[in-house]
């Protein structure tokens, strides 16, 4: 695993109401969630990025108002047809 060093202004740490030692974990989670939301990381890769299980990562997405399921309209229609729910 690679280490990445970032500098954060002290007033930002105060505004976040976090201890400095916890900010790295929070930023890593935020980055993983956003990269997952953008489709740049799978849920498994995002979970590994933050060092938690895939199931826990998916369950925590709601805390960030991100859906664990992201289907295109075409994929959604195909899935509903496969389930026999074609009249939505």
């Amino acid at each position: 695993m690679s280490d990445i060093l970032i500098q954060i202004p002290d007033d930002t740490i105060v505004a976040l109401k976090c201890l400095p030692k916890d900010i790295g974990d929070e930023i890593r989670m935020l980055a993983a969630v956003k990269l997952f939301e953008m489709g740049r990381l799978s849920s498994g890769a995002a979970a590994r990025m933050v060092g938690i299980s895939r199931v826990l990562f998916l369950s925590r997405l709601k805390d960030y108002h991100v859906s664990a399921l992201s289907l295109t309209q075409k994929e959604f229609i195909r899935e509903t047809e496969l389930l026999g729910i074609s009249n939505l």
Side-chain angles (χ1 to χ4, degrees):
M1 191 172 289
S2 299
D3 290 332
I4 298 173
L5 176 67
I6 60 171
Q7 294 181 339
I8 299 174
D10 291 335
D11 59 333
T12 301
I13 293 172
V14 171
L16 291 173
K17 298 177 183 163
C18 286
L19 296 173
K21 67 181 184 71
D22 298 329
I23 291 201
D25 292 339
E26 180 68 15
I27 289 172
R28 190 170 36 256
M29 182 65 178
L30 289 165
V33 168
K34 190 61 180 180
L35 290 167
F36 169 77
E37 181 181 36
M38 294 172 63
R40 305 241 347 243
L41 286 180
S42 68
S43 59
R48 283 190 300 279
M49 181 174 168
V50 292
I52 59 177
S53 73
R54 181 177 172 268
V55 172
L56 180 56
F57 177 79
L58 290 170
S59 71
R60 291 198 52 205
L61 288 175
K62 69 181 179 315
D63 298 338
Y64 299 91
H65 307 286
V66 172
S67 175
L69 181 63
S70 59
L71 298 175
T72 65
Q73 184 176 7
K74 184 177 177 180
E75 291 169 331
F76 179 77
I77 291 169
R78 182 175 183 280
E79 291 295 321
T80 57
E81 288 172 350
L82 289 173
L83 293 171
I85 315 172
S86 58
N87 59 347
L88 289 177

